[in-house]
């Protein structure tokens, strides 16, 4: 990606736009912002949905546009692209750390599609006591991207960010 | 028929199926057997509707008459809908719902897998995105078929009755959309027979593992969805879904 002062500033602005469902993560941490390009017509931003049914996407699109306009960018075009499909591998390391501190167990490294069919991800970390002795309670949680887990050691129920 | 027109019908079938499947499943919201599964069913319904939005948006583009996802969803009557019959069936009890989901998800995983190779860029992108979700859906519904099928006396009866109630609609999942043969010969979409074989394999394995009677794959099945002939259930779900839009056309808030 070509970096220019304008696009670098835009990335900085978007670091401050939080995911409405997970307010500790920015849309950049989430890997939702795919590219920012400065063109003579204005700034072109490409975002990608996490889950196709994620109701937060429209809010995110509006907030991204608003933040850039407020940040002094005149013409901003925000476009949504499906391809390549979003994966939890795009979440930044600092994003994963912030998630854990917030109380959501972050997704494991490297998405292996087959793991979805063969069994749950191993070593899901309890955000309360950091034990990996945890069990899945339900594959579906409070938002499309999360599953419900319980820690066998400290008995804390928690959200796990699913790998896709 | 041009390839583009045929693709419109194909994508419309997919979009309508996901929309009706999702809308029907959302009836479980706040009625789930336990909180975890209330949340799970609602999440899956949301995924189906999200997929429907991508598909109906694309169908509108292919049609080229300026119709949006909302125009297609809210301003067509039952006879213009092309969803598979299975999707519109009532939920019944939890056993019937999960077995219906299982048939649909087994079909969706194979379809999305095949379309992930399609030379049509947009259909391919939608399929790759949807496949990640379909696998989660299949894992959920398959687990429940196993648990209920190999469960208690009561659960065995419930799931067997559920399967019996929906089985005659299984074949309609594979009913070719208008002009589908053009797309198959152009290599844009998978050929039905091989797709069906793979889906039947998933079903056979799962029902055997669940110690259930494997249904007759050669049974005479209901069909008609691709000619707009639906069960009596579709017009009711549509009238509920469309009532506000039709009462207040163009309303915004």
């Amino acid at each position: 990606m070509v970096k220019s002062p304008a696009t670098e500033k835009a990335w900085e602005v978007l670091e401050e736009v939080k995911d409405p469902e997970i307010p500790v993560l920015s849309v950049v941490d989430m890997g939702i912002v795919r590219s920012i390009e400065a063109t003579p017509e204005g700034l072109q931003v490409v975002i990608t949905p996490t889950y196709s049914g994620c109701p937060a996407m429209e809010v995110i699109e509006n907030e991204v546009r608003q933040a850039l306009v407020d940040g002094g960018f005149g013409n901003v075009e925000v476009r949504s692209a499906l391809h390549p499909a979003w994966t939890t591998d795009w979440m930044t390391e600092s994003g994963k750390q912030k998630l854990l501190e917030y109380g959501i167990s972050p997704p494991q490294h490297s998405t292996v599609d087959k793991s979805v069919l063969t069994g749950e991800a191993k070593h899901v970390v309890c955000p309360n006591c950091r034990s990996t002795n945890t069990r899945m309670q339900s594959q579906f949680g409070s938002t499309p991207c999360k599953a419900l887990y319980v820690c066998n050691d400290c008995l804390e129920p928690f959200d796990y960010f699913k790998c896709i | 028929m041009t390839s583009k027109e045929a693709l419109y019908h194909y994508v419309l079938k997919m979009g309508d199926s996901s929309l009706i499947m999702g809308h029907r499943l959302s009836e479980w919201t706040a009625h789930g057997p336990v909180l975890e599964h209330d949340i799970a069913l609602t999440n899956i319904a949301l995924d189906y509707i999200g997929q429907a939005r991508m598909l109906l948006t694309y169908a509108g583009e292919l049609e080229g008459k300026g119709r949006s996802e909302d125009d297609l969803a809210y301003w067509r009557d039952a006879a213009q809908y092309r969803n598979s019959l299975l999707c519109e069936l009532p939920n019944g009890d939890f056993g019937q719902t999960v077995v219906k989901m299982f048939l649909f998800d087994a079909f969706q995983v194979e379809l999305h897998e095949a379309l992930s190779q399609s030379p049509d860029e947009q259909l391919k992108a939608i399929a790759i995105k949807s496949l990640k979700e379909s696998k989660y859906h299949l894992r959920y519904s398959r687990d429940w078929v196993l648990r209920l099928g190999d469960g208690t006396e009561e659960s065995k009866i419930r799931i067997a009755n559920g399967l019996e109630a929906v089985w005659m609609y299984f074949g309609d999942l594979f009913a070719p959309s208008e002009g589908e043969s053009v797309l198959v010969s152009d290599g844009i979409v998978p050929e039905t027979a091989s797709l069906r074989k793979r889906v039947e394999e998933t079903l056979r394995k799962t029902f055997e593992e669940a110690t259930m009677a494997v249904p007759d794959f050669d049974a005479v099945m209901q069909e008609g969805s691709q000619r707009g002939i639906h069960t009596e259930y579709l017009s009711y779900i549509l009238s509920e879904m469309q009532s506000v839009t039709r009462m207040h056309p163009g309303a915004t808030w």
Side-chain angles (χ1 to χ4, degrees):
Chain A
M1 204 170 303
V2 188
K3 294 245 175 185
S4 68
T7 57
E8 264 181 48
K9 185 174 172 229
W11 281 104
E12 273 169 33
V13 167
L14 295 185
E15 295 272 5
E16 296 307 313
V17 177
K18 303 301 178 193
D19 182 307
E21 301 278 359
I22 311 164
V24 286
L25 287 192
S26 75
V27 291
V28 176
D29 289 328
M30 284 285 286
I32 290 172
V33 181
R34 298 315 304 154
S35 68
I36 302 176
E37 218 180 312
T39 70
E41 291 78 45
L43 208 57
Q44 294 197 329
V45 182
V46 176
I47 60 172
T48 193
T50 51
Y51 279 74
S52 49
C54 185
M57 278 318 288
E58 273 167 49
V59 179
I60 290 173
E61 192 176 321
N62 290 335
E63 287 184 352
V64 163
R65 187 180 296 109
Q66 195 57 50
L68 290 171
V69 170
D70 292 348
F73 293 93
N75 283 328
V76 179
E77 191 200 342
V78 183
R79 198 165 56 81
S80 183
L82 295 177
H83 184 77
W86 183 79
T87 156
T88 33
D89 294 347
W90 291 344
M91 195 181 284
T92 61
E93 282 309 314
S94 73
K96 288 180 182 172
Q97 196 53 40
K98 281 186 232 167
L99 260 190
L100 190 63
E101 281 155 21
Y102 183 60
I104 298 172
S105 190
Q108 306 293 305
H109 281 288
S110 79
T111 313
V112 182
D113 276 345
K114 290 215 165 64
S115 73
V116 171
L117 290 176
T118 53
E120 58 258 35
K122 300 282 182 279
H123 308 304
V124 169
V125 180
C126 167
N128 188 44
C129 73
R130 304 290 197 266
S131 163
T132 52
N133 179 19
T134 58
R135 68 174 189 275
M136 189 178 71
Q137 184 79 8
S138 172
Q139 293 159 45
F140 297 90
S142 55
T143 62
C145 52
K146 286 177 265 168
L148 278 177
Y149 269 71
V150 176
C151 178
N152 291 327
D153 287 337
C154 74
L155 305 180
E156 178 82 357
F158 61 91
D159 274 334
Y160 164 61
F161 205 107
K162 289 189 280 202
C163 272
I164 64 166
Chain B
M1 182 177 295
T2 67
S3 188
K4 197 173 174 184
E5 283 164 349
L7 193 56
Y8 160 69
H9 292 294
Y10 192 90
V11 174
L12 192 66
K13 176 191 173 189
M14 287 177 71
D16 285 353
S17 292
S18 293
L19 177 64
I20 299 301
M21 194 72 193
H23 201 72
R24 180 65 85 197
L25 195 60
S26 74
E27 290 172 6
W28 273 106
T29 306
H31 299 273
V34 289
L35 186 58
E36 277 88 351
H37 296 290
D38 194 300
I39 292 170
L41 294 171
T42 304
N43 261 282
I44 296 173
L46 195 58
D47 281 346
Y48 289 146
I49 290 171
Q51 293 170 5
R53 294 190 59 186
M54 299 189 286
L55 289 160
L56 292 179
T57 299
Y58 187 38
E61 286 165 22
L62 287 164
E63 189 194 34
K65 291 181 184 166
R67 287 207 277 185
S68 67
E69 49 173 328
D70 285 342
D71 294 332
L72 288 168
Y74 293 114
W75 293 97
R76 283 179 304 145
D77 293 325
Q80 282 118 34
Y81 261 75
R82 292 294 180 268
N83 61 284
S84 299
L85 300 176
L86 183 78
C87 307
E88 68 205 41
L89 300 178
N91 284 325
D93 61 12
F94 183 69
Q96 183 169 327
T97 296
V98 292
V99 80
K100 182 176 101 165
M101 285 165 74
F102 171 62
L103 300 184
F104 186 68
D105 297 336
F107 169 76
Q108 292 280 90
V109 165
E110 293 302 336
L111 181 66
H112 294 154
E113 193 100 54
L115 291 177
S116 300
Q117 313 290 329
S118 175
D120 184 85
E121 287 299 327
Q122 183 65 3
L123 189 56
K124 179 179 166 178
I126 295 173
I128 292 172
K129 180 97 202 134
S130 304
L131 181 59
K132 294 185 178 218
E133 295 159 1
S134 312
K135 284 182 176 174
Y136 269 106
H137 303 163
L138 179 59
R139 183 170 159 203
Y140 179 85
S141 54
R142 187 179 176 279
D143 274 358
W144 273 105
V145 169
L146 295 178
R147 207 182 293 186
L148 299 179
D150 195 10
T152 63
E153 284 315 306
E154 176 76 12
S155 77
K156 285 179 189 187
I157 294 169
R158 296 279 190 121
I159 190 112
N161 287 347
L163 179 58
E164 168 89 24
V166 303
W167 183 246
M168 69 170 110
Y169 302 98
F170 171 69
D172 184 67
L173 285 171
F174 303 91
S177 58
E178 218 180 312
E180 187 175 319
S181 56
V182 178
L183 301 173
V184 173
S185 53
D186 290 353
I188 294 168
V189 305
E191 188 252 328
T192 308
S194 62
L195 183 71
R196 184 166 182 158
K197 220 175 129 198
R198 290 195 297 277
V199 177
E200 288 183 357
E201 203 43 44
T202 308
L203 266 51
R204 192 190 316 275
K205 272 193 205 150
T206 305
F207 289 134
E208 277 170 3
E209 201 181 329
T211 68
M212 292 168 66
V214 177
D216 180 6
F217 290 113
D218 301 319
V220 175
M221 303 269 182
Q222 289 284 347
E223 51 86 42
S225 66
Q226 298 316 297
R227 286 174 288 127
I229 299 168
H230 289 276
T231 67
E232 70 201 78
Y233 307 112
L234 181 63
S235 52
Y236 288 98
I237 194 172
L238 287 183
S239 64
E240 192 188 4
M241 187 181 86
Q242 297 173 338
S243 61
V244 174
T245 310
R246 294 201 181 202
M247 211 180 292
H248 305 284
T252 54
W253 63 87

